[in-house]
């Protein structure tokens, strides 16, 4: 049977190559004013020059040669890349409506089917985003009630760190669980113990998918979707996704069985109530099960991966720069003392606020951004971009823009401080993207990062495990859709 499979693969591959050669270069059908870019090869396009482990790095290098707006052909994907603060601001903020669509990417389309918020399109996206924002506010986003929920979780986390009594431990699983409990409290109205095996499994599925979606195998699938059966990474992503949804569906049923329209307890309850109200007025609306399933999945993954990856960087950087850690702790002691850190303390703690912002800038946990698409034909920066073109507003190019940051590739909290030591906002600070597709949970994420960071540094001094010096801490980014640092054991030494 093996020879039959081999012949079948060879036949299909040959057929695809003949088809692609016949198609030629798809850019030739576009306006002569299309952006510049590297010359593509038949079939593979510009794949031969891409570092698939760090495609954002290749794009940064290409921008030096072709400018802030350039084109790429990756297999069957036609892409325009935007780089630099001024260019991306012009696109996402000043021409927000033009660049508001989500690009159609095979792996995202396959598991989302255009539902939810993150990867949906048109009116479905608008309706689901409005509902998501209003419901997040209803359940405390930006309010004292949410701060209290985060403060309670911080207490659980501090006790867990204390339990190791200064001995080395791997903190990522615990940190991820603490972060996940905040979004779980909004979605399901509950929290899980850090050692709950089902919860641990759920988080491992989420983390693995974040890594796989940015892996070379999935990128190749996005370029050549008709050969999807060859890519094991794609199959694993879909398998993990299925397990994640099975877990969430169990909770949908529990919420539905206990639903009280006059006493909604969580995001799912609110959605189910909206669904029932919609059914009374129209038969084919937006509040169906597929949108619920995908919206919850979007919130869970976004509420876990980006925040936890940022905190991994925060604590790794504090171990790498102990003098900065000490200065943060001194400010915490002077401003907060032994009280529970709250979001309101931020305005009184300029140095800590600057460090937190610099962590987010330096961490750059989603360097590629989520891909956008144009809603209409547009002339942008002197170039023609056709309606429906995939556009990558390269976030890493904003967070490391040499025209905006004094030391773009260094960890330098002074980026956010003036000469008087007061906190200053920077326009090029865009870790959550910008415009109409900006992360809907930005306020919640900022609150979580600040409160977890200050709560742990208030109680502990973080050090590398014995045998590791601060110089041994490698700042290399992991391969994946999100880019956390390498994993290290740490020691949490109690301060009081």
């Amino acid at each position: 049977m093996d020879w039959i499979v081999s012949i079948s693969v060879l036949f299909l591959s040959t057929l695809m190559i003949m088809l692609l050669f016949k198609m030629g270069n798809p850019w030739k059908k576009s306006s002569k004013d299309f952006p510049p870019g590297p010359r593509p090869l038949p079939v593979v396009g510009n794949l031969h020059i891409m570092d698939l482990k760090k495609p954002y790095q290749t794009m940064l290098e290409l921008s030096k040669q072709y400018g802030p707006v350039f084109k790429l052909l990756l297999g069957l994907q036609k892409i325009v890349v935007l780089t630099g603060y001024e260019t991306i601001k012009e696109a996402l903020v000043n021409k927000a409506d033009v660049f508001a669509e989500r690009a159609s990417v095979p792996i995202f389309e396959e598991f989302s089917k255009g539902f939810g918020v993150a990867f949906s399109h048109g009116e479905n996206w608008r309706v689901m985003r409005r509902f998501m924002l209003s419901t997040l506010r209803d359940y405390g986003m930006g309010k004292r009630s949410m701060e209290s929920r985060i403060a309670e979780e911080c207490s659980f986390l501090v006790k867990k760190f204390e339990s190791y009594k200064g001995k080395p431990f791997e903190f990522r699983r615990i940190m991820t669980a603490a972060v996940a409990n905040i979004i779980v409290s909004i979605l399901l109205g509950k929290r899980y113990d850090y050692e709950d095996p089902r919860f641990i499994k759920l988080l491992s599925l989420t983390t693995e998918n974040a890594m796989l979606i940015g892996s070379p195998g999935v990128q190749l699938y996005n370029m050549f979707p008709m050969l999807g059966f060859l890519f094991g990474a794609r199959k694993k992503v879909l398998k993990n996704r299925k397990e994640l949804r099975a877990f969430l569906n169990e909770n949908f049923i529990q919420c539905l069985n206990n639903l009280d329209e006059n006493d909604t307890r969580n995001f799912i309850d609110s959605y189910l109530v909206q669904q029932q109200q919609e059914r009374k007025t129209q038969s084919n609306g937006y509040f169906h099960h597929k949108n619920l399933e995908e919206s919850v999945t979007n919130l869970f993954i976004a509420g876990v991966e980006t925040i936890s990856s940022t905190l991994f960087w925060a604590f790794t950087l504090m171990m790498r720069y102990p003098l900065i850690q000490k200065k943060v702790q001194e400010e915490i002691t002077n401003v907060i003392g032994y009280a529970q850190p709250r979001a309101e303390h931020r305005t009184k703690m300029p140095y800590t606020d600057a460090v937190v912002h610099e962590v987010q800038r330096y961490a750059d946990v989603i360097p590629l951004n989520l891909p956008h698409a144009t809603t209409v034909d547009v002339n942008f920066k002197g170039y023609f971009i056709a309606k429906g073109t995939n556009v990558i507003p390269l976030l890493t190019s904003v967070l490391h823009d040499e025209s905006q940051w004094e030391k773009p590739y260094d960890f330098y909290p002074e980026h956010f401080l003036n000469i008087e030591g007061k906190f200053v906002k920077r326009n090029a600070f865009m870790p959550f993207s910008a415009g109409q597709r900006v992360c809907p949970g930005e306020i919640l994420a900022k609150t979580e990062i600040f409160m977890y960071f200050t709560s742990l540094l208030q109680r502990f001094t973080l050090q590398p495990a014995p045998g590791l010096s601060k110089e041994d801490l490698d700042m290399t980014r992991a391969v994946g859709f999100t880019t956390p640092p390498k994993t290290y054991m740490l020691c949490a030494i109690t301060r009081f």
Side-chain angles (χ1 to χ4, degrees):
M1 292 298 292
D2 288 343
W3 67 271
I4 296 176
V5 173
S6 299
I7 290 175
S8 299
V9 170
L10 179 62
F11 173 76
L12 289 171
S13 300
T14 303
L15 188 64
M16 183 198 74
I17 290 171
M18 291 173 63
L19 176 63
L20 289 174
F21 267 109
K22 186 176 180 180
M23 288 169 58
N25 181 1
W27 292 116
K28 291 181 180 179
K29 300 176 183 179
S30 301
S31 165
K32 63 182 180 181
D33 295 325
F34 216 87
R39 184 178 182 86
L41 296 177
V43 184
V44 298
N46 301 121
L47 177 60
H48 63 296
I49 64 173
M50 297 298 297
D51 179 352
L52 291 184
K53 292 184 176 180
K54 296 181 179 180
Y56 52 89
Q57 197 63 48
T58 303
M59 293 175 188
L60 283 174
E61 292 300 317
L62 289 171
S63 71
K64 295 176 183 178
Q65 180 177 356
Y66 296 102
V69 183
F70 63 91
K71 69 179 187 290
L72 286 173
L73 182 63
L74 299 178
L76 301 180
Q77 284 188 317
K78 292 196 299 182
I79 296 169
V80 169
V81 181
L82 308 180
T83 64
Y85 166 67
E86 294 295 343
T87 300
I88 291 176
K89 178 191 173 187
E90 176 70 17
L92 300 188
V93 179
N94 299 349
K95 295 184 180 295
D97 290 339
V98 174
F99 291 90
E101 184 56 278
R102 179 64 74 216
S104 181
V105 178
I107 192 65
F108 296 146
E109 293 296 321
E110 188 166 9
F111 61 57
S112 74
K113 308 297 183 184
F115 298 119
V117 175
F119 309 111
S120 61
H121 313 280
E123 191 61 22
N124 188 89
W125 165 66
R126 281 183 278 273
V127 171
M128 288 297 104
R129 182 177 173 85
R130 278 197 302 270
F131 174 79
M132 182 178 287
L133 285 170
S134 65
T135 306
L136 287 174
R137 285 192 291 268
D138 288 344
Y139 288 101
M141 187 172 74
K143 300 178 182 178
R144 292 282 297 183
S145 58
M146 179 54 66
E147 283 187 44
S148 297
R149 203 174 294 180
I150 298 170
E152 181 183 20
E153 194 63 42
C154 286
S155 297
F156 285 114
L157 185 62
V158 166
K159 289 179 181 177
K160 188 66 177 177
F161 271 48
E162 284 177 339
S163 70
Y164 291 96
K165 299 179 179 179
K167 296 179 180 179
F169 67 101
E170 202 290 292
F171 70 100
R172 290 199 184 195
R173 179 176 60 80
I174 301 164
M175 195 73 245
T176 303
V179 168
N181 266 331
I182 302 303
I183 197 64
V184 166
S185 72
I186 295 172
L187 295 174
L188 306 175
K190 63 168 76 172
R191 74 173 297 277
Y192 288 90
D193 185 84
Y194 299 154
E195 305 302 327
D196 185 303
R198 294 196 66 210
F199 194 40
I200 292 172
K201 175 64 174 176
L202 183 69
L203 298 177
S204 69
L205 293 174
T206 303
T207 299
E208 184 176 35
N209 265 12
M211 181 271 292
L212 289 172
I213 287 173
S215 68
V218 169
Q219 290 184 68
L220 286 170
Y221 164 63
N222 289 332
M223 298 174 200
F224 305 103
M226 73 282 290
L227 297 179
F229 63 92
L230 295 175
F231 302 114
R234 164 190 167 266
K235 296 174 184 177
K236 185 62 175 174
V237 166
L238 297 178
K239 179 178 180 293
N240 289 349
R241 189 78 167 187
K242 185 177 180 180
E243 289 188 51
L244 174 61
R245 283 179 170 170
F247 174 88
L248 295 173
N249 274 316
E250 289 180 23
N251 288 281
F252 295 162
I253 294 170
Q254 292 175 18
C255 290
L256 185 59
N257 290 339
N258 299 301
L259 184 64
D260 181 349
E261 290 189 28
N262 299 314
D263 182 25
T264 54
R265 301 152 298 176
N266 52 56
F267 181 92
I268 294 176
D269 275 4
S270 295
Y271 188 100
L272 294 172
V273 168
Q274 186 69 31
Q275 184 182 70
Q276 293 182 358
Q277 292 174 352
E278 185 183 68
R279 285 173 177 170
K280 295 175 184 177
T281 58
Q282 55 182 308
S283 57
N284 296 313
Y286 293 100
F287 288 86
H288 46 72
H289 183 76
K290 289 291 184 182
N291 262 329
L292 171 59
E293 187 178 65
E294 194 59 31
S295 294
V296 170
T297 303
N298 292 164
L299 275 172
F300 183 80
I301 294 174
V304 174
E305 273 304 305
T306 54
I307 299 172
S308 60
S309 292
T310 301
L311 287 168
F312 298 161
W313 274 109
F315 300 131
T316 302
L317 286 164
M318 290 305 95
M319 291 190 289
R320 181 68 177 80
Y321 299 99
L323 293 180
I324 293 177
Q325 178 178 189
K326 183 178 180 181
K327 196 169 178 179
V328 169
Q329 290 172 324
E330 289 172 352
E331 189 173 64
I332 291 172
T333 299
N334 292 335
V335 176
I336 304 176
Y338 299 105
Q340 171 71 55
R342 307 288 297 213
E344 66 192 38
H345 291 126
R346 183 196 296 263
T347 57
K348 302 174 185 178
M349 303 170 67
Y351 187 77
T352 301
D353 201 8
V355 170
V356 169
H357 277 73
E358 180 66 356
V359 166
Q360 291 177 266
R361 186 201 69 82
Y362 182 89
D364 184 21
V365 296
I366 308 182
L368 279 174
N369 204 341
L370 286 174
H372 288 234
T374 45
T375 57
V376 294
D377 289 350
V378 61
N379 284 297
F380 182 74
K381 297 287 187 180
Y383 301 113
F384 174 78
I385 304 177
K387 176 182 178 180
T389 299
N390 285 14
V391 176
I392 295 179
L394 196 65
L395 271 190
T396 192
S397 71
V398 178
L399 297 176
H400 297 94
D401 190 328
E402 294 181 5
S403 71
Q404 299 294 317
W405 308 100
E406 294 82 359
K407 299 182 179 181
Y409 293 98
D410 294 341
F411 182 67
Y412 186 65
E414 286 75 11
H415 282 139
F416 296 92
L417 295 169
N418 63 17
I419 57 174
E420 298 172 344
K422 294 181 179 179
F423 180 82
V424 291
K425 293 182 179 180
R426 301 292 293 264
N427 292 331
F429 181 71
M430 286 186 185
F432 301 98
S433 193
Q436 294 187 16
R437 291 276 181 171
V438 68
C439 173
E442 178 178 355
I443 296 173
L444 177 61
K446 287 180 176 179
T447 305
E448 283 191 64
I449 292 168
F450 178 79
M451 290 183 65
Y452 279 123
F453 183 73
T454 52
S455 294
L456 288 176
L457 289 190
Q458 179 190 51
R459 297 295 301 275
F460 307 101
T461 295
L462 305 180
Q463 299 175 353
L468 278 178
S469 68
K470 64 180 184 179
E471 289 78 15
D472 293 327
L473 299 177
D474 187 349
M475 297 292 105
T476 303
R477 302 171 188 279
V479 175
F481 183 71
T482 55
T483 55
K486 290 188 175 181
T487 300
Y488 292 102
M489 304 281 279
L490 66 72
C491 297
I493 310 301
T494 303
R495 297 183 64 216
F496 58 85

